Amino acid sequence: MKKSLGAKTLVYPTPVLVVCTYDNEGNPNAMTAAWGGICCSSPPCVAISLRKATYSYSNLMLKKAFTINIPSENYVKEADYFGIASRNKEDKFAKTGLSAVKSDIVDAPYIREFPVNLECKVIQIIELGLHTQFIGEVMDAKIDETIQEKVDQPIIEQIKPLIFAPDSRNYYAVGNQIAQAFSIGNEIKGKMF
Ligand SMILES: Cc1cc2nc3c(=O)[nH]c(=O)nc-3n(C[C@H](O)[C@H](O)[C@H](O)COP(=O)(O)O)c2cc1C
C-alpha cells in the first residue's frame, strides 16, 4: 500500500551546487542551489533553477554565464551560508574569505577552494513558475590537481560532495559504493525463464 502526499517534488537525493556569477559592476557572488543537475550529455549541459528574487537571477540574466562549484564536506558551513545570505545585503566572498577566480572562458567567477568547477554558458532560459530554469552548456570542467583516478579511492570519495534532503533540510555525506552501474543489472538481464 502507498499513501499519497499530494503534488510534491520528492526527489532523493539532490546535489548541493554553489552557483557563481558577476553583477553589473563585476562583483562576484555565490548562491547555493539544490534544484539542479546534469540535463544533457552532448552538448554537455547542466540545469539550475532560481527564484527571481535572488541577486544571482539578475546576474544570470545580465551575463548569461555562471559556474557550478561543488563544495566538499569541509565547506558545509560556507555552502549553507551561501544559501541563507543574499548579495542584496552582504558580500559573501568577503565574509567567507573564499577566493573568487575569474573563469578562463565564461564571464563568471569560480571558487578556488571547492574541488570541482564547471564553466557554463546559458543557452536556454525556461520560465516554470516560482523558479526559472537556466540551462548552461559546460564550456570547461576543472578539478583539483590533487584529485586523481585511483583504484582504491574513486573520485567521488576524494571530492566528498554534499547531499541535500529537501524534506528534512539536512545535509548528508556520500555513503559506500554498493555496485557497479551498467553491470550489476546483467544478473537479471541474463536470467533464464
Ligand atoms: C541547501 C539550499 C539549497 C537551495 N537551493 C536553491 C535553489 O535551487 N534555487 C533557489 O532559487 N534558491 C535556493 N536556495 C536559496 C538561495 O541560495 C538563497 O535565496 C540565497 O540567499 C540567494 O543568494 P543571492 O540573493 O545572493 O543570489 C537554497 C538554499 C539552500 C540553503
Side-chain angles (χ1 to χ4, degrees):
M1 282 290 283
K2 299 275 181 183
K3 62 177 177 185
S4 173
L5 298 178
K8 281 179 184 276
T9 54
L10 284 193
V11 173
Y12 297 95
T14 66
V16 176
L17 311 172
V18 175
V19 175
C20 288
T21 49
Y22 282 126
D23 68 12
N24 57 353
E25 288 170 359
N27 300 306
N29 189 38
M31 77 160 259
T32 303
W35 292 185
I38 298 169
C39 63
C40 186
S41 304
S42 180
C45 292
V46 288
I48 48 167
S49 290
L50 270 60
R51 282 166 301 113
K52 287 189 175 68
T54 63
Y55 193 84
S56 305
Y57 171 89
S58 311
N59 290 356
L60 269 157
M61 285 304 213
L62 183 77
K63 300 285 185 179
K64 305 286 188 318
F66 64 97
T67 63
I68 293 275
N69 302 265
I70 315 261
S72 51
E73 279 171 26
N74 48 334
Y75 287 108
V76 64
K77 206 181 281 180
E78 288 81 356
D80 195 55
Y81 166 70
F82 286 142
I84 55 178
S86 176
R87 186 65 170 84
N88 280 316
K89 296 215 171 112
E90 56 200 89
D91 180 342
K92 296 192 245 181
F93 275 99
K95 218 151 179 184
T96 56
L98 292 176
S99 325
V101 181
K102 196 176 179 328
S103 287
D104 294 320
I105 302 174
V106 305
D107 194 8
Y110 67 85
I111 302 176
R112 178 180 288 132
E113 291 83 356
F114 288 9
V116 180
N117 320 96
L118 306 182
E119 292 191 29
C120 305
K121 178 181 80 176
V122 174
I123 56 166
Q124 273 192 58
I125 299 173
I126 303 162
E127 291 293 342
L128 294 171
L130 180 62
H131 287 78
T132 302
Q133 187 180 45
F134 294 87
I135 311 287
E137 182 175 344
V138 180
M139 308 309 288
D140 189 34
K142 298 180 185 349
I143 190 162
D144 276 0
E145 276 175 346
T146 52
I147 293 170
Q148 314 254 331
E149 291 271 7
K150 291 181 200 160
V151 187
D152 56 332
Q153 199 187 24
I155 283 177
I156 192 166
E157 291 177 17
Q158 297 174 57
I159 294 169
K160 298 188 192 306
L162 296 162
I163 291 167
F164 177 65
D167 55 350
S168 64
R169 295 185 155 195
N170 282 316
Y171 295 108
Y172 289 83
V174 169
N176 299 327
Q177 188 252 359
I178 55 159
Q180 180 78 57
F182 298 99
S183 169
I184 184 86
N186 282 322
E187 286 176 24
I188 299 171
K189 200 173 174 222
K191 235 179 192 173
M192 304 298 276
F193 287 95

